[in-house]
Amino acid sequence: KYVPRTLAEAVEGKTIRRAVADNEGVFVLAVDANKAPVLVKSDFEGNILTHFATDFCTAGSPNAKFVLSDIALTVDGVLIGCNADSD
């Protein structure tokens, strides 16, 4: 399976839903045409540091439009996410 090495490759052809920065880089959540999420962290030069698994994102409404629709960082630096029933 192809694994993108740059942020540009990871989000190519996808819609970026949210980008959140910390001291080390940027967490980016994007979705493809089928609303399947891609969650990566890149450094500030655009090199991928981490690919996050998103297949665990099953909690919430069975009618949710997005499996993972938004991300945020807590005050203590923990990345959290949620799903949504609408855009």
Side-chain angles (χ1 to χ4, degrees), residues 20-28 41-45 49 73:
V20 181
D22 67 7
N23 292 335
E24 299 169 356
V26 182
F27 295 93
V28 177
K41 183 175 184 179
S42 74
D43 62 19
F44 292 112
E45 286 77 41
L49 301 174
L73 284 173

Side-chain angles (χ1 to χ4, degrees), residues 3-87:
V3 177
R5 294 181 183 212
T6 67
L7 182 56
E9 291 173 357
V11 301
E12 183 176 354
K14 298 172 180 64
T15 301
I16 295 175
R17 302 261 317 155
R18 178 81 62 199
V20 181
D22 67 7
N23 292 335
E24 299 169 356
V26 182
F27 295 93
V28 177
L29 170 63
V31 294
D32 65 16
N34 297 319
K35 309 270 190 277
V38 172
L39 180 58
V40 297
K41 183 175 184 179
S42 74
D43 62 19
F44 292 112
E45 286 77 41
N47 302 302
I48 298 293
L49 301 174
T50 308
H51 292 267
F52 294 93
T54 57
D55 55 350
F56 64 88
C57 302
T58 59
S61 169
N63 299 321
K65 189 169 185 177
F66 295 94
V67 174
L68 183 59
S69 63
D70 205 356
I71 57 172
L73 284 173
T74 63
V75 173
D76 55 349
V78 176
L79 181 68
I80 58 174
C82 65
N83 65 1
D85 294 334
S86 63
D87 291 332

